[in-house]
Structure formats: structure tokens, C-alpha cells
Amino acid sequence: METRNLINQKYGEINALKEYLSKTDYISKKAYESSLLNLENPFIAPSEILAERQAARDSINILEAEIVDLEATLKAEEESKEEIVNNTPIL
């Protein structure tokens, strides 16, 4: 059950990071649109926010890879339990 809890925790972290990205999307879009319009004073997204957004995407990728590993572990645990149950003699 602990593996399942870890998986759920990581999904929670991913959801929080995606929410952050969603809340800051307008900054990237505004900077992109500004660059397309060739404005005299284009909007430039703060480098800190761009770095934080990239860090969030990197973290999401790491968490997703960890979830894949944990799900494989969970599957192996379940198969092991099933094998024990199937091989236990009935008295």
C-alpha cells in the first residue's frame, strides 16, 4: 500500500506543478505575442519566471518517470502476493 501512496503523492506534485504552469501561461503567451508584433517596447517575460517554468517542466518529467518505476514495482508486488495466495495449500 505504501507504493500506491507514493504514486498518489507524486501525482499530487505533478498536478500542483501543472497548476503553476497554467497560472503563468499568460506570461509566456504575452511575451510571444509581443515578439510577433515587432513592438518598439515588447513585453519581456522575467527570466526568473521562465526559469521556474522550465524547472516545473523538468520536475514533471522526473516525477512521471518515477511513477512508471513505482507502477512496475506495484505490479510486481501484486503479482507476488497473488502467487503466494495461489500457491497456499487449502487445508
Side-chain angles (χ1 to χ4, degrees):
M1 191 64 177
E2 185 174 320
T3 304
R4 173 59 58 201
N5 291 339
L6 283 172
I7 291 170
N8 290 338
Q9 177 185 351
K10 291 184 185 296
Y11 275 120
E13 292 175 39
I14 288 171
N15 288 337
L17 290 166
K18 285 183 176 182
E19 183 178 341
Y20 167 75
L21 289 173
S22 179
K23 288 181 178 180
T24 57
D25 273 348
Y26 75 95
I27 294 171
S28 295
K29 290 176 184 177
K30 184 175 179 180
Y32 178 70
E33 289 172 356
S34 179
S35 71
L36 292 177
L37 296 174
N38 294 321
L39 299 175
E40 186 175 318
N41 295 309
F43 174 77
I44 299 172
S47 59
E48 302 85 27
I49 292 178
L50 296 177
E52 289 171 3
R53 287 177 54 81
Q54 184 59 53
R57 287 189 295 274
D58 293 343
S59 293
I60 289 169
N61 291 336
I62 291 167
L63 289 165
E64 288 174 338
E66 291 173 352
I67 288 171
V68 168
D69 292 341
L70 286 169
E71 286 176 339
T73 300
L74 183 62
K75 183 178 179 182
E77 289 172 357
E78 290 171 351
E79 288 173 352
S80 176
K81 288 177 187 177
E82 185 176 316
E83 185 177 320
I84 291 170
V85 169
N86 290 339
N87 293 328
T88 303
I90 300 174
L91 301 176

